[in-house]
Amino acid sequence: MKLTVIGGGGVRSIFLAKSLAWNAHRINLTEVVFLDNSAENLATFGEIARHVFQSIRPDIQFSLSEDPQSAIRNANYIITTLRVGGDESRVRDERIALSHNTLGQETTGAAGFAMALRSIPAILDYCRMIEELAVPDAILFNFTNPSGMVTEAIIKSGFKRRVYGICDAPSELIRELPAVLGCDESALKVECYGLNHFSWFSNITVDGVPVSAALAKNATLYEKTTMQYFSADLVAQCDNQLLNEYLYYYYYRQEALDAIQQAAETRGEQIARINQQMRKALLTIDVKQHPEDAFDIWMQHYLCRENSYMQSESQKEKPHPRAALTLTQFIEEPDTGGYAGVALDILEAVNSQQTKRIVVSLTNNGTLDFLRPDDVIEISCDLNSQGLTPVKPSAVPQAQKNMISCVKEYERLAVEAILTQNRDVAVKALMAHPLIGSWSLATKLVHAYLDDPQYRHWQ
């Protein structure tokens, strides 16, 4: 079985290579291709990823490629993990939003719309190649942000293969809960519902016993998990439902905006600076000849990124900062599923007799009855050899319904605007977004984001 990663030269590709190598036996992998349109990225991060993969599974063919046609041809599985426009575009996205006194965050609000402007057309170009060149029953896993909107655009474009949107944020919180509850992971059940980067966690049980109310009052929850960004009072007002970390930008909008505006640099500028320093350091060595040295440079800079996540916006340290590892330690440390875990679970389930609960983005089809059937939602699914069965949440409070409906209207209109290249629909989309909610502001933002030669064909 052949698996192709589109965007395989990214900074996080090393984690993906490790995850695929450790779990290759689960899905009978015989060939892996990391595709990227940047020769520089492939020569650095791609080469480190190659060394990691081949150190774990030297028996499996692994290659780096700049040729999309050969990379996609006869692929059984495709993972997309693109950052179209690079760090420079992210900086521009966030600064334009902030210059209009609205939240500038990579995937959320105005900057999230700007990211979708680049991501969706690029992904659809690859989708056309997948339809033409991949095997007839190929499966696409979209990791490209904003993941929910990109997945919706893929489906609404007429793409005929199976596609799932994947995000690791819900899984990260769920993985943290057993330690707080003092239970085994297999005993825990959680219902996640909503949209990508906009979801809640409800009906939490341990061996069938409800624990949501007690968990919501547990101080450790707010100290040792990504729930650290929220207060117990807020969770009580959400009917004891836990929150996706990205909801911080909605429930604490002003605090987040003030913190970002007062910071010396935006998160995008911080990432761009760290990445520039990392690339400069990597240029001083031969990555192929000295993979250990290259890995150390990558790890040092990656930890600067990872362990400072959401610090500027929330003024909080990460509850579980990553520790530095050597290349040997990284390769030998068992893989926990992480970056590619959900995709691997889906692929493995075809031959499994067990049922596992995962969180994915897929077509609603009535699961959330207050949304349209063709909307893409983020939802818990029970997964087994019969396929994916979305878990209809036992309770969705009216406040959550209102918030989800509002953001979904923005996503629908944003996807329509990008697919039809229509400025007026783009204004309607941003006007519908709760972080914008103003025609005059939406008009200014659309004008600023479309002030680029690549959008000259927009009506």
Side-chain angles (χ1 to χ4, degrees):
M1 304 294 268
K2 178 180 178 180
L3 184 148
T4 297
V5 177
I6 300 175
V11 172
R12 295 180 73 186
S13 62
I14 293 95
F15 288 110
L16 186 53
K18 176 185 173 178
S19 205
L20 292 173
W22 265 89
N23 296 281
H25 63 283
R26 294 170 55 190
I27 56 174
N28 300 315
L29 280 186
T30 57
E31 181 182 0
V32 174
V33 183
F34 274 29
L35 169 71
D36 205 285
N37 61 6
S38 167
E40 180 188 352
N41 286 350
L42 288 176
T44 50
F45 309 121
E47 278 298 338
I48 300 171
R50 184 215 296 268
H51 182 86
V52 167
F53 188 95
Q54 292 185 329
S55 295
I56 300 168
R57 290 301 303 265
D59 57 312
I60 295 175
Q61 181 181 341
F62 183 98
S63 61
L64 305 172
S65 177
E66 294 177 69
D67 179 2
Q69 294 205 346
S70 65
I72 294 170
R73 184 172 287 109
N74 297 324
N76 302 92
Y77 315 126
I78 300 100
I79 290 174
T80 63
T81 172
L82 299 177
R83 175 175 292 284
V84 184
D87 295 334
E88 298 78 10
S89 292
R90 176 179 180 175
V91 169
R92 177 178 180 268
D93 295 346
E94 293 176 350
R95 277 297 172 194
I96 285 175
L98 292 171
S99 72
H100 290 85
N101 201 37
T102 190
L103 193 75
Q105 198 283 330
E106 178 188 24
T107 66
T108 302
F113 171 74
M115 188 180 203
L117 280 175
R118 297 186 301 276
S119 296
I120 288 173
I123 287 288
L124 295 185
D125 284 343
Y126 283 114
C127 283
R128 285 185 277 273
M129 282 189 263
I130 292 167
E131 298 252 58
E132 179 186 348
L133 300 169
V135 301
D137 60 349
I139 304 174
L140 173 62
F141 297 95
N142 175 56
F143 288 74
T144 299
N145 279 321
S147 177
M149 287 174 60
V150 172
T151 302
E152 182 153 332
I154 290 170
I155 294 169
K156 289 184 174 178
S157 73
F159 187 68
K160 296 295 189 292
R161 312 298 174 91
R162 273 186 290 171
V163 56
Y164 303 103
I166 309 290
C167 177
D168 51 6
S171 302
E172 180 179 357
L173 175 58
I174 293 169
R175 281 195 300 268
E176 292 173 329
L177 295 182
V180 178
L181 291 164
C183 71
D184 190 79
E185 186 179 339
S186 62
L188 178 69
K189 280 284 193 297
V190 181
E191 293 176 0
C192 175
Y193 71 88
L195 310 175
N196 177 238
H197 288 183
F198 200 79
S199 54
W200 287 259
F201 303 81
S202 64
N203 194 26
I204 301 169
T205 63
V206 175
D207 289 325
V209 178
V211 297
S212 293
L215 179 61
K217 296 174 183 174
N218 188 329
T220 305
L221 177 72
Y222 306 97
E223 297 167 357
K224 301 295 185 182
T225 77
T226 53
M227 282 296 296
Q228 69 168 350
Y229 306 117
F230 308 103
S231 74
D233 289 342
L234 170 60
V235 173
Q237 289 197 348
C238 293
D239 288 31
N240 292 327
Q241 296 187 354
L242 307 191
L243 311 167
N244 186 303
E245 62 193 351
Y246 283 86
L247 285 168
Y248 179 81
Y249 297 108
Y250 296 83
Y251 286 115
Y252 297 83
R253 176 178 61 181
Q254 197 58 50
E255 289 86 345
L257 178 58
D258 289 346
I260 293 170
Q261 288 179 323
Q262 292 165 15
E265 57 187 358
T266 65
R267 177 62 172 170
E269 287 164 350
Q270 181 186 40
I271 294 294
R273 173 176 55 78
I274 294 170
N275 285 349
Q276 186 177 27
Q277 291 169 350
M278 174 166 49
R279 291 175 190 278
K280 185 177 179 181
L282 285 169
L283 285 174
T284 65
I285 61 171
D286 186 321
V287 177
K288 268 189 177 181
Q289 294 298 317
H290 302 285
E292 294 87 357
D293 295 338
F295 180 87
D296 288 344
I297 291 170
W298 169 79
M299 175 62 77
Q300 173 194 346
H301 290 86
Y302 180 80
L303 291 180
C304 287
R305 291 172 40 140
E306 178 71 11
N307 292 337
S308 61
Y309 176 70
M310 280 188 74
Q311 273 186 16
S312 177
E313 301 94 322
S314 69
Q315 307 299 303
K316 291 182 182 291
E317 303 281 337
K318 284 203 74 165
H320 304 290
R322 286 181 183 263
L325 299 173
T326 65
L327 177 57
T328 300
Q329 289 171 329
F330 180 78
I331 289 169
E332 292 179 350
E333 183 181 63
D335 183 67
T336 57
Y339 194 41
V342 174
L344 291 162
D345 286 340
I346 292 173
L347 296 175
E348 185 185 37
V350 176
N351 301 311
S352 174
Q353 300 307 308
Q354 296 182 328
T355 297
K356 184 168 185 174
R357 185 162 291 185
I358 62 172
V359 179
V360 296
S361 290
L362 40 64
T363 306
N364 181 30
N365 286 332
T367 304
L368 299 181
D369 57 14
F370 55 94
L371 297 181
R372 298 178 189 175
D374 64 344
D375 287 334
V376 165
I377 61 172
E378 185 168 84
I379 196 77
S380 289
C381 294
D382 285 335
L383 172 69
N384 55 34
S385 59
Q386 304 305 306
L388 281 170
T389 304
V391 178
K392 194 176 181 68
S394 50
V396 181
Q398 190 60 47
Q400 277 88 313
K401 287 182 181 179
N402 292 343
M403 291 177 71
I404 293 168
S405 297
C406 187
V407 172
K408 190 68 242 182
E409 176 68 1
Y410 151 72
E411 290 190 352
R412 270 188 223 114
L413 289 167
V415 168
E416 179 187 345
I418 294 167
L419 292 179
T420 60
Q421 299 186 339
N422 189 304
R423 291 172 181 266
D424 288 341
V425 178
V427 171
K428 286 182 180 179
L430 289 186
M431 189 166 57
H433 200 290
L435 296 179
I436 299 165
S438 159
W439 179 84
S440 57
L441 177 57
T443 301
K444 292 173 185 175
L445 288 166
V446 169
H447 177 77
Y449 285 128
L450 294 182
D451 185 20
D452 188 293
Q454 65 182 306
Y455 305 121
R456 63 185 179 277
H457 299 301
W458 277 59
Q459 302 171 350

